[in-house]
Amino acid sequence: MKSNFLICLFILVLSVPSYAQEYKSGAVEKDYVAYLFAYFTGNKVEEEAIHFAISADGYNYKSLNGNKPVIDPKLISSTGGVRDPHILRCEDGKTFYMVVTDMTSSKGWDSNRAMILLKSTDLVNWSSSIINIQHKYSGQEDLKRVWAPQTIYDPEAKKYMVYWSMKHGGGQDIIYYAYANADFTDFEGEPEQLFFPENGKSCIDGDIILKDGTFYMFYKTEGHGNGIKLATTNSLTSGKWTEHEGYKQQTPEAVEGSGVFRLINTDTYILMYDVYMKGKYQFCESSDLENFRVIDHEISMDFHPRHGSVIPVTRQELKALTAKWGLPEGFPPVGNNPVLTGYYADPDIIYSNKTKKYYIYPTSDGFDGWGGYYFKTFSSDNLKDWTDEGVILDLKKDVSWANRNAWAPCIEEKKVNGKYKYYYYFTAAQKIGVAVADDPAGPFVDSGKALIDFRPEGIKGGQEIDPDVFTDPKTGNSYLYWGNGYMAVAELNKDMVSIKKETVKVRTPDKTFREAISVFYRKGTYYFLWSEDDTRSENYRVRYGTSTSPTGVITIPENNLILAKDAAKGIYGTGHNSVLQIPGKDEWYIVYHRFNRPNGIKMGDAAGFHREVCIDKMEFNADGSIKVVVPTL
C-alpha cells in the first residue's frame, strides 16, 4: 500500500557479492563480547525515541550518546515518536532487524495504528519503513491501537515473523502476527491471531525466545492483574499453547515490557521488565525459564529505561557502536583476541608493500571433518580491526584438480617487472597448489595443476599439506616448505609456480614435529617454528629451532617450547602459526589458532575444526632465543 505516512523511507543498499550466500559468514556465539540494550526513556514526546546502552557482562550498563536518541524519531515515524524497541540478530549472524511502536502517548493510548520496521548491517546505519495496519488492510476501521511489535525467526516457515498486540473497538488486546517480506520492509499476507489466552482476556507485550526446541512467550495480562505470564509451544503458528500457572515477575508492583535474553556462553537467562509505576527496571535470573530470582543488587545502569530489549554483540560491532556514539566513561576494556569473527584456523600473515595493509590468510573453519572448500582473506591497517575481503579462491569453482579440504594457505609478495605479484600456496585434497594475483585480496588464478603431489624420497607416511613460503633476504631465492609427519623443503623457480625438484630435502627437526612449519629470518639466524601434537588436542603447541641457512640442518634449543595452552584462561590448542615483523622495526608478532573459547574444550574432536585466530607479541632474548609467548585474551 502507498501511504502519505510512508515518509523518509531510507533504503540501505547492500554491496554483497553474488556468492555471499554460499559461504559461511557472520558472527557465532564465541565472538560475542558485550551486550546492546535498546530502549526508550519515558512518556514525554522527547523521550519517545530509540536509545542504546552497552554492557560488558549483561549486568552493568552504560548509555551511549549521553543517553540521547541514536535515531531521530521524526525521520522514521508517522507520529513523531517511537516506543518499545525490539532488536534481533538475523540467522545470517550479521544483519539486524528492529521493530518499534509508531506512537507518541501525548496523543492518547488509543491513538496509533502503525509500527516501524528497521534494518541494519552495522547497528549504526538503519533503513526504515512504516506499516500502518489500518491503511494497509481492509476491515480495520475500528482499530484502536498497535502496540509493542517484536520479531522472531520461524524455522518452520523459514521466514521472520513480526508479532504485536492489537485492539479493535471495545474488544480485547490480541497478539497477532504476520511474516515479513525478504527485504524486511513490509508484510506478506494478512495479520493472523498468534495467541489469545484461554480466559479470553487481554494480553500485550509478547516476548518470545527459543530454548531447546520450545518457544517460550512471556506476555502481560492487560487490565486484570497487570503481570507477566508464560505460554509455550513447539510450533509458533499451530495455535497450541500451554499456559503456565502463576506470574513470572518477582514484584507486587505493576509491570510491563518483558525482555528475555541468554547470557553469552552460558545456560543462564535474564528476564527483565519495566516496573513502570515506580520508574525502574527489575532483572531476574533463571536456568529453566520457569523459576526466577531477583538480581537487582547485581545490576547497574546510568539511565532509566522503558520497555527495551538486549542482544549480544561482537567486538567489531561494539567498536562500530562506540566509534559512532563514543565509549562511555568507565566501560571496561574488551580484549582483542580472537582477531577474526567466525571460525578460522592456520593463519598466514603478510604486510603488503602495495596497499600498506596487513593481510591474514586462514583456513575457513567450522566444517565437519575439515571439509571446507574455499579461502578468504582479511585486511587491517592496525592489526586490531580486520575487514573481511571475501572469498579469494573457491576450489569448486576455481580449481580443476581438487574440490575439497581447503587448508593451511600461505602467501608471498614479489615485485616482478616493477609490479607486485602475490603467490598463494594452498592445500587442497592433501596436495599443494599455487594461485597468482596482482592484489593481496585477489582475485587469484590457479596454476591449473598441483605443485606438490608427491612424497620426498624415503618418506613412507604423512600428508602433503601445510605449505610455507620464505624468501631468503640474503640471496633473494624463495623456498617452499611442507609436510605432515615430516618436513620437506624445495627451492622455487623464478616463476614461483614450480620447484627445482633436485633441491628437495627432508629436514624434519625431531620427533616433536607434526606439521605447520613457519620460517623467518632475524639478525643472521633462520628460525623454524612448527606444531607438535594434533590440532584436535588441547596440547597442540609450538616449538622452534634455528639454522644457518634456509635448507640447513636445524638446531634444537634446550627450551624450545614457545607457545602452549593456558588452562587458567581457558586457552587450549594453540598452534599452526605464522610470524609477522613490523616493517622497518625489530617488532614481531605470532599469529596462531586455538580452540574456540570458551566452548572448544568441551567439544571433543570437533574442537579441531572449530578454531579461532589470535595474535600475540613475540619477543627475543639477547642471545636471539625466543621468549615463551604468553597467549592472551
Side-chain angles (χ1 to χ4, degrees), residues 593-608:
H593 73 236
R594 69 186 185 199
F595 287 0
N596 84 79
R597 183 182 177 275
N599 293 324
I601 191 62
K602 308 170 190 174
M603 296 175 70
D605 281 358

Side-chain angles (χ1 to χ4, degrees), residues 414-421 438:
K414 284 263 189 173
K415 212 166 192 181
V416 180
N417 298 324
K419 294 183 179 180
Y420 286 107
K421 289 279 188 181
D438 296 324

Side-chain angles (χ1 to χ4, degrees), residues 15-21 23-26 94 340 344 359-364 374-379 386-394 398 424 439-444:
S15 299
V16 180
S18 59
Y19 54 69
Q21 295 302 316
Y23 304 108
K24 291 187 178 183
S25 59
K94 60 185 179 180
L340 303 183
Y344 295 95
Y359 293 82
I360 289 177
Y361 300 85
T363 297
S364 297
Y374 62 86
F375 294 101
K376 284 188 167 190
T377 191
F378 298 81
S379 66
W386 293 88
T387 299
D388 185 345
E389 298 285 354
V391 172
I392 59 171
L393 193 71
D394 181 325
D398 306 325
Y424 184 72
D439 187 89
F444 284 85

